[in-house]
Amino acid sequence: MATVAQQSTIRTITTHYIDGAFVPSHGTEVMEIIRPTDASVIGHVTLGDEVDTRLAISAARRAFATFGRTTKDERAQTLRRLHQAVSARIDDLTAAMVEEYGGVVQFAKPIVQTGANAFLAAEKGLEELSMTESWGKTTVTLEPVGVAGLITAWNANALFICLKLASAVAAGCTVVIKPSELSALQTEVLLECLNAADLPNGVCNVVIGRGEVVGAELVNNPGVDKISFTGSVAVGERIMRDGAATLKRVTLELGGKSPTILLDDAALDQAVPSALIMAFLNSGQACAAGTRLLVPNSRLEEVKGRIRDAMRAFPVGDPADPRIAIGPMVSEKQYERVQSYIRKGIEEGAQVLVGGEGHPEDLDAGFFVKPTVFVGVTNDMTIAQEEIFGPVLCVIGYGTEDEAIRIANDSRYGLHAGVLGTDLQRARRVASQIRAGRVVINNMTDDPQAPWGGFKYSGVGREYGRYGIEAFLETRAILES
Ligand code: NAD
C-alpha cells in the first residue's frame, strides 16, 4: 500500500483564547486530528463547551465597551499589527493547512498570504468609508454592531478567520471566533499571531469546538449581536432560523455549483487550462470551484481532447510537494461523499472522460480521489445540481449563447462564475447576465476590495473591503429640533 512520506510529532491542544490569555478548556471532549494523506492520528484537541463560549462572549462584551468607541486611526493601527503578526507566520500557517486538511502548498501559501493581506485590505476599505454624514440638523453615523460570532469552514479556515476578523475589527466590533473543528492546527498558529498582535484583552476570543455546541451557543446567546458564517447551506439555514429568536444580524457565505461558460470564440490552449484551474481549485474543495463547464456543442469533441491532455498539469499526490495540484480530501467522510457522487453520475448516464471511482494508482492510503471529468452531462443530473466539494467536473454542451446563460443560471446557487472568450465585450455582456456574486473573465482572479458573496442559496450579505466592513455596522441618526 502506498503512502505519502510524512513524519510529525503528535500535537496536543487543550486551550482556547479568551480575554487575552490562553485558557484551559472547560469542555472535556477530546477529538483526534487525522492527517488526510495517510489517515494517521497526528494530534488531539480538547473541544470547548457552552461554559467556554459564554466566558468568551462575556469577555468580548466587556471589551466592546471600549473598543467600540475607538477611532478609525486606532483601528487602522490594530489592523496593521494583525497584518504583521500573521505575515510573520505564513510558512507555519501554510504547513498546518497542508498537514491537517491536505491543502496543496501551491494553493495554501497564496491563500494564507491573502489572509494576511486581508487586514491591509480592510484598512483601505475603512479609509474609504465615511463614518459620518450630516445635513441640516441631522447627523448620521455608522456604529459597530457589537459582539460578533465568527464561524468558519475548514477548507481555508485561516483565510476565513482573517477576512472576518479584519472586517469586524475595522468596524469596531469585538469577536468570538469558532473555527472549524477540523482546523485545530491552523487555529493554534493563528492564536499565537493574535497574541503577538497585542490586541486589547477581549477584543478577539477563540473557542475551538463543535458547531452544535460552541456554534449553537453563539447563535442563541443574546450577548452576540451578529453572526458571520462560512459553511454549508444546511447549517446556514439553521443559523438564520435559530438566530431569529434574538434577531441576530447574519452574513452567510455558503455553497456553490459554479458555471464556467466557454464561448465559441475562446482560444482553447488558454481557456481549457483556465477552466480546469477553476474546477480543481483547492482540490475541488472550494465554494467557488467552477464545477460545471458549459461548452458549445460545435467544439465539444475538440474540448474533450484538450481536457485529456491538460489533465497532465493536475497531478495528484503529496500536498507538500509544490508540483502537486490535487491533494487528498479532508476526511474519510468527504472521500466517501465524492465516491458516492461519482457513482451517481455514472448511474444517471454521464460518461467518465477522466478519473472515476476509487483511489488513484499508488495512493491507496489516505483520502485521495481520482480527479474526474464527466461528459454527456445534462444540467438536471444530480452531479450538475448538487455541490460535491471534490475534484469532479461536469462538462455540459449548449447550442446558443442564450442557452448557455440559461443553463448557468439554472442552479439554486449563485456564488461564482467564469466566462472564457476572446471577444471581451461579448464576454462582459454574458457575465452581466449571470446571477452570481462574482464573475471572472478569462481566468481565476481576485480583488480584495471587490465584494464576495452569493445570490440565492449561496448566501446572504457580502465580505471583502468596504462591503465586508459595512456588514458589521449599524446606522444611527441624530436629529436636533
Ligand atoms: P459546515 O456547515 O458543516 O460547517 C461550517 C462551520 O459551522 C463549522 O465551524 C461547524 O462546526 C459549524 N456548525 C455546524 N453546525 C452548527 C450549528 N448548528 N450552529 C452553528 N455552527 C455550526 O461546512 P464545512 O463542511 O465546514 O464547509 C464546507 C461548506 O462550506 C461547503 O458547502 C462550502 O461551499 C462552504 N463554503 C463557502 C464559502 C463561501 O465563501 N461562500 C467558503 C468556503 C466554504
Side-chain angles (χ1 to χ4, degrees), residues 151-155 160 178-181 210-212 215-216 219 229-232 235 238-239 253-256 287 387 389 415 452:
I151 304 177
T152 60
W154 52 266
N155 63 326
F160 304 141
K178 196 221 78 72
S180 167
E181 49 275 61
R210 292 201 183 275
E212 56 276 24
V219 172
F229 169 78
T230 296
S232 62
V235 176
R238 173 144 196 195
I239 288 175
E253 296 291 349
L254 310 178
C287 49
E387 184 183 49
F389 226 53
L415 182 63
W452 175 277

Side-chain angles (χ1 to χ4, degrees), residues 116-138:
N117 291 342
F119 297 105
L120 297 184
E123 187 192 350
K124 187 157 182 282
L126 185 59
E127 247 171 57
E128 282 168 15
L129 258 180
S130 168
M131 305 300 259
T132 308
E133 205 187 345
S134 305
W135 61 90
K137 291 184 173 182
T138 298

Side-chain angles (χ1 to χ4, degrees), residues 261 263-267 270 401 418-434 439-443 445:
I261 301 182
L263 294 170
D264 57 12
D265 68 345
Q270 286 149 33
E401 188 180 296
V419 180
L420 308 171
T422 304
D423 177 348
L424 263 186
Q425 256 184 330
R426 180 182 175 205
R428 286 186 197 122
R429 187 181 68 224
V430 171
S432 70
Q433 293 172 78
I434 299 179
V439 187
V440 294
I441 295 181
N442 281 338
N443 218 335
T445 184

